[in-house]
Amino acid sequence: ILALLDQIVATDNYTDDLEISINDENYSGNEQSVGTYFIEYMIDDFNGNAITIRQNIHVIDDVPPEITGQFYHYLEVENFIRPNDMLSPMKATDAIDKEPIKVYLISTTYVKHMVGTFNAIVGAKDIYGNEATAEIIIEVKDSTAPEFFIKIPQINLEPSHVYSVDELL
């Protein structure tokens, strides 16, 4: 408040020695609380002339919430991840907004049962409209070795004949 008081410039058509003082205020003690407050200044020229001026102070929240949680998921291609599986480990907190803040899914490039690296963007918004976003990486791998099934036709042999390799092939 004293810094604001030092910034006031007042002039008078007769007296150069003016007193500027704080008449009333409700800002002190509310510096960290969102809201509108006031300071009422009084300017006196010591000649019976005084005026009061009111200045509004708007304390705003312009800081987005902070998102924490699991920002990386690894899974095998035969498995899949649901949106709720990405959102459930995520939390959002805000220094001003003490209410629980919901984390929501904004977008995702994830494709079910496809190998690759995908991302999802999640967001959280406090009651004053400040939005934070975060990226979740989803890595999908196929680490299962393939299995081959080869069908070999049946070979019928006559016991009395000795076969060469070429004949068997």
Side-chain angles (χ1 to χ4, degrees):
I1 290 180
L2 295 178
L4 293 173
L5 188 62
D6 291 340
Q7 294 178 9
I8 294 177
V9 177
T11 59
D12 185 68
N13 62 348
Y14 179 72
T15 304
D16 289 332
D17 187 28
L18 299 174
E19 180 185 20
I20 303 171
S21 61
I22 296 173
N23 194 34
D24 192 15
E25 62 91 14
N26 69 349
Y27 176 67
S28 295
N30 292 311
E31 297 89 343
Q32 300 298 320
S33 300
V34 175
T36 300
Y37 306 98
F38 74 90
I39 300 175
E40 188 176 272
Y41 304 100
M42 186 170 80
I43 304 165
D44 192 347
D45 69 358
F46 300 105
N47 291 315
N49 300 312
I51 187 170
T52 57
I53 298 170
R54 187 180 185 112
Q55 179 181 20
N56 288 326
I57 298 174
H58 303 281
V59 178
I60 62 168
D61 174 11
D62 60 354
V63 178
E66 182 180 343
I67 299 174
T68 58
Q70 186 177 355
F71 296 101
Y72 179 80
H73 293 273
Y74 171 83
L75 59 137
E76 290 293 323
V77 70
E78 62 268 5
N79 298 323
F80 60 92
I81 190 167
R82 295 177 184 87
N84 192 48
D85 297 333
M86 290 182 265
L87 293 173
S88 63
M90 306 306 288
K91 303 286 182 242
T93 56
D94 187 75
I96 303 296
D97 188 356
K98 301 300 180 192
E99 297 299 316
I101 298 173
K102 181 181 178 186
V103 179
Y104 49 86
L105 183 64
I106 296 173
S107 67
T108 184
T109 61
Y110 172 69
V111 178
K112 185 176 176 181
H113 301 308
M114 182 178 281
V115 173
T117 301
F118 305 96
N119 71 346
I121 305 297
V122 295
K125 194 179 284 189
D126 67 15
I127 61 172
Y128 297 106
N130 302 307
E131 183 178 34
T133 59
E135 180 180 34
I136 298 173
I137 303 296
I138 305 153
E139 189 173 351
V140 181
K141 296 284 186 182
D142 183 4
S143 60
T144 305
E147 293 181 20
F148 294 102
F149 297 97
I150 301 172
K151 183 176 181 182
I152 300 175
Q154 180 177 348
I155 300 174
N156 295 321
L157 303 176
E158 293 180 18
S160 62
H161 181 68
V162 177
Y163 294 92
S164 70
V165 172
D166 289 335
E167 288 177 309
L168 290 174
L169 287 177

